[in-house]
Amino acid sequence: MSVETFDVAIIGSGLAGQSLALRLAEHRRVVIVTKRTLSDSASAWAQGGIAAVLDPADSVESHVSDTFDAGAGLNSRAATQHVVENSRRAIEWLIDRGVPFTRDEDTPTGYHLTREGGHSHRRIIHAADATGAAVQATLSHQVAAHPNITVLERHIAIDLIPGSKLGQTDRGCLGAYVLDIDNEHVKTLRASATVLATGGAGKVYVYTTNPDTATGDGIAMAWRAGCRVANMEFIQFHPTCLYHPQAKSFLVSEAVRGEGGLLRLPSGERFMPEHDPRAELAPRDIVARAIDFEMKKRGLDCVFLDISHKPAEFLKSHFPTILARCQELGIDITRQPIPVVPAAHYTCGGIVTDLQGRTDLPGLYAVGEATCTGLHGANRLASNSLLECVVFSEGIADAILAQPVLPPLPLPPWDESRVTDADEEIVISHNWEELRRFMWDYVGIVRTNKRLLRAQHRIRLLTREIDEFYANFRVTNDLIELRNLVTTADLIVRSALRRKESRGLHFSRDYPGTQSRPRDTVLRPRKTSAK
């Protein structure tokens, strides 16, 4: 079993992980662990853009207010203020790195700013309708070329290595065990600082806009290592995922509604004005519930997003990716509405951190969608996610660089002496499908205690099966992901059962009212259980 030593180990290769690696690499030896390739992440799928206070007519106060409004008042004032106040600085850092944001010389900023649901100003800087891809491509090229950054592609983290497991009570996280997926070989990564930048958990649901890698790995690993998680009940369902049998996980950007797109029933009738005075520009939780309500009320498979009233040239320049993908499927968005349905999109809760990404385990940091920083509250405001990644990566880099590199300790190799190769891999695929289906049915956009308890019962049965499988057979990529998914699903359901109100993304028929005082749902592990 090989042991590799680095100053900093970053698990995850999205915008959070890559921006942090580039900030650290001049002073530290960094390794990035990614399940697929360097460019594969949810960040690369982001279409709309990055929210920031750039226009002189906009203000920090306005952006903060919009964030609190979308987050149903559950946001942390300190975290929200911190992120918004540093938003311009974050964008300038990306521009300095060469990200090709869409220009508009007729504006005070020199860049085209769009508007999305929940925002009171145009403040979304973007690269056409493929902002995440543009940012990821720019940074990936620089990460791959940096001599101080090692990239382990097709490697998946299995678990963290807390010092307490080795009797080192004065040391926190010492690194992680990772599986080389192709060679089926477990490596021990030793690091003075470890960072979880693993993204969210959208794959816990059947229908999601997330890539297949979004399996809650960081959240589950941190929980097993003894870290608190918070607000896991708040799963954001994006209102407009393309509805087509050949369109797996294709998101139709919020910016389509921001630029005038209208939601219609099959009859052509609009319905959003009946649900909220902001109509199509209401925050995502409201729009998603409205679509869910109309579909269930009328027995519909989908609703329609119509932007065909805009000039064709406008659509080609602003939404080239969406236009091209729809055309591949026989949908001409310049003449036809787009069939859409809600789908699981963003995990608003996660690992509890401070403003410099520190977790409860010394030496372990977390950044991006895997975290609960307090920014998003009960519902993330559109385009605040990529902003959070860049702002917090700077704070974490400062915190890590302020600490000395600790001398490496001898770490035990991964123990496979008591396991064998799995004899029935079909068990994993069946459990995966069962989990994702009942989570969609029982822990979706609208919830009840009865549904949540049904889900909890099934999760407990699955957990026992998976734990037994994990204890007796060699780890594989699918087994690691399934184990993390069922842990994450358990955290979501436990959090949802604790919230005795409806707030933001958590809507309960048993508790339709909203309590006057917003409170976080914080879960604390009973004991450290990482292997």
Side-chain angles (χ1 to χ4, degrees):
M1 298 296 174
S2 59
V3 179
E4 300 181 22
T5 303
F6 299 90
D7 298 329
V8 183
I10 299 173
I11 315 297
S13 65
L15 175 57
Q18 289 198 31
S19 57
L20 176 59
L22 288 169
R23 293 183 190 276
L24 289 169
E26 296 305 313
H27 308 281
R28 296 287 190 271
R29 292 176 302 112
V30 179
V31 62
I32 293 179
V33 178
T34 179
K35 290 199 282 188
R36 293 195 175 176
T37 67
L38 182 60
S39 59
D40 277 313
S41 73
S43 298
W45 289 33
Q47 293 178 357
I50 306 175
V53 179
L54 303 173
D55 193 313
D58 197 3
S59 69
V60 168
E61 293 72 23
S62 175
H63 191 169
V64 168
S65 177
D66 290 345
T67 302
F68 263 78
D69 185 42
L74 194 64
N75 319 66
S76 158
R77 174 67 62 178
T80 307
Q81 200 79 23
H82 171 70
V83 170
V84 175
E85 287 178 351
N86 285 282
S87 62
R88 175 183 288 275
R89 181 184 176 93
I91 298 302
E92 289 172 346
W93 185 83
L94 291 173
I95 291 172
D96 289 343
R97 286 282 169 181
V99 175
F101 292 114
T102 299
R103 305 281 308 191
D104 185 348
E105 301 302 335
D106 294 331
T107 66
T109 64
Y111 291 92
H112 183 269
L113 303 179
T114 191
R115 184 179 174 190
E116 295 180 341
H119 289 274
S120 56
H121 289 273
R122 284 183 172 267
R123 64 167 67 100
I124 316 301
I125 190 169
H126 61 99
D129 64 345
T131 306
V135 173
Q136 189 87 347
T138 302
L139 298 191
S140 293
H141 175 74
Q142 296 171 27
V143 165
H146 203 291
N148 245 12
I149 301 176
T150 299
V151 180
L152 297 180
E153 294 187 326
R154 294 194 56 77
H155 284 64
I156 180 172
I158 304 170
D159 257 326
L160 301 168
I161 308 175
S164 59
K165 284 293 181 182
L166 311 179
Q168 299 286 338
T169 55
D170 60 332
R171 293 283 288 266
C173 186
L174 304 177
Y177 294 112
V178 301
L179 173 69
D180 181 332
I181 296 169
D182 295 327
N183 295 324
E184 300 180 346
H185 171 73
V186 178
K187 298 178 180 178
T188 303
L189 293 188
R190 183 164 48 195
S192 183
T194 304
V195 185
L196 297 171
T198 51
K203 294 300 286 187
V204 79
Y205 291 98
V206 172
Y207 303 111
T208 177
T209 64
N210 290 181
D212 290 341
T213 53
T215 50
D217 300 336
I219 297 169
M221 285 190 292
W223 175 255
R224 290 194 293 266
C227 296
R228 290 170 298 155
V229 300
N231 294 346
M232 287 296 293
E233 68 269 37
F234 298 118
I235 303 295
Q236 186 176 80
F237 289 80
H238 197 287
T240 53
C241 184
L242 181 60
Y243 177 74
H244 191 282
Q246 297 171 22
K248 178 185 176 183
S249 304
F250 186 78
L251 174 70
V252 179
S253 170
E254 188 106 6
V256 173
R257 286 184 285 122
E259 294 294 343
L262 303 174
L263 286 163
R264 301 185 186 277
L265 299 171
S267 64
E269 177 188 356
R270 289 180 66 192
F271 57 87
M272 275 309 303
E274 298 177 10
H275 292 270
D276 192 278
R278 291 164 291 187
E280 282 80 7
L281 290 178
R284 289 176 178 174
D285 59 327
I286 294 171
V287 180
R289 274 199 302 275
I291 294 174
D292 183 69
F293 174 84
E294 296 292 343
M295 288 173 58
K296 288 176 178 174
K297 175 183 176 181
R298 304 170 191 275
L300 304 175
D301 291 326
C302 66
V303 296
F304 294 88
L305 179 58
D306 186 9
I307 192 137
S308 61
H309 50 279
K310 288 283 189 176
E313 287 304 315
F314 175 88
L315 300 180
K316 290 175 183 176
S317 63
H318 282 74
F319 305 114
T321 306
I322 296 170
L323 186 144
R325 182 62 178 136
C326 287
Q327 278 185 334
E328 290 173 3
L329 301 171
I331 303 166
D332 181 358
I333 71 170
T334 67
R335 301 185 179 194
Q336 299 169 267
I338 307 167
V340 294
V341 292
H345 181 60
Y346 192 86
T347 308
C348 288
I351 308 159
V352 175
T353 75
D354 66 10
L355 295 185
Q356 288 192 296
R358 299 183 186 92
T359 72
D360 293 330
L361 183 63
L364 178 67
Y365 302 79
V367 61
E369 192 176 349
T371 68
C372 182
T373 64
L375 171 64
H376 304 308
N379 174 38
R380 176 175 68 84
L381 180 64
S383 291
N384 268 355
S385 54
L386 296 185
L387 175 64
E388 181 185 37
C389 292
V390 183
V391 170
F392 272 86
S393 72
E394 181 178 22
I396 294 173
D398 290 343
I400 290 175
L401 294 175
Q403 297 295 318
V405 176
L406 299 174
L409 294 173
L411 300 183
W414 183 255
D415 184 7
E416 290 188 335
S417 61
R418 291 168 292 178
V419 297
T420 61
D421 291 326
D423 54 0
E424 291 185 344
E425 293 280 355
I426 194 68
V427 172
I428 296 176
S429 62
H430 281 185
N431 286 355
W432 179 293
E433 292 302 321
E434 181 185 354
L435 173 68
R436 298 178 69 208
R437 171 55 65 183
F438 71 64
M439 285 295 290
W440 182 265
D441 291 340
Y442 299 147
V443 199
I445 296 173
V446 177
R447 300 164 179 175
T448 65
N449 278 353
K450 186 175 182 180
R451 293 175 188 173
L452 292 173
L453 289 170
R454 284 176 177 169
Q456 188 174 64
H457 174 68
R458 284 159 175 77
I459 287 169
R460 286 171 177 167
L461 294 175
L462 281 181
T463 299
R464 285 198 289 268
E465 286 185 23
I466 294 164
D467 285 349
E468 181 182 1
F469 202 93
Y470 183 81
N472 290 289
F473 299 110
R474 288 190 175 90
V475 292
T476 63
N477 180 79
D478 290 346
L479 176 57
I480 294 166
E481 290 187 329
L482 177 62
R483 181 180 182 230
N484 291 334
L485 277 174
V486 77
T487 297
T488 306
D490 178 54
L491 296 172
I492 293 170
V493 172
R494 287 170 60 181
S495 298
L497 283 167
R498 285 197 182 190
R499 187 162 292 278
K500 308 300 185 185
E501 64 168 348
S502 290
R503 183 184 296 273
L505 299 164
H506 175 76
F507 185 83
S508 170
R509 285 184 177 167
D510 296 307
Y511 307 101
T514 301
Q515 295 176 359
S516 58
R517 182 181 176 186
R519 295 176 181 269
D520 292 320
T521 305
V522 181
L523 301 180
R524 293 172 171 81
R526 292 182 180 176
K527 61 181 180 179
T528 301
S529 54
K531 181 173 178 179

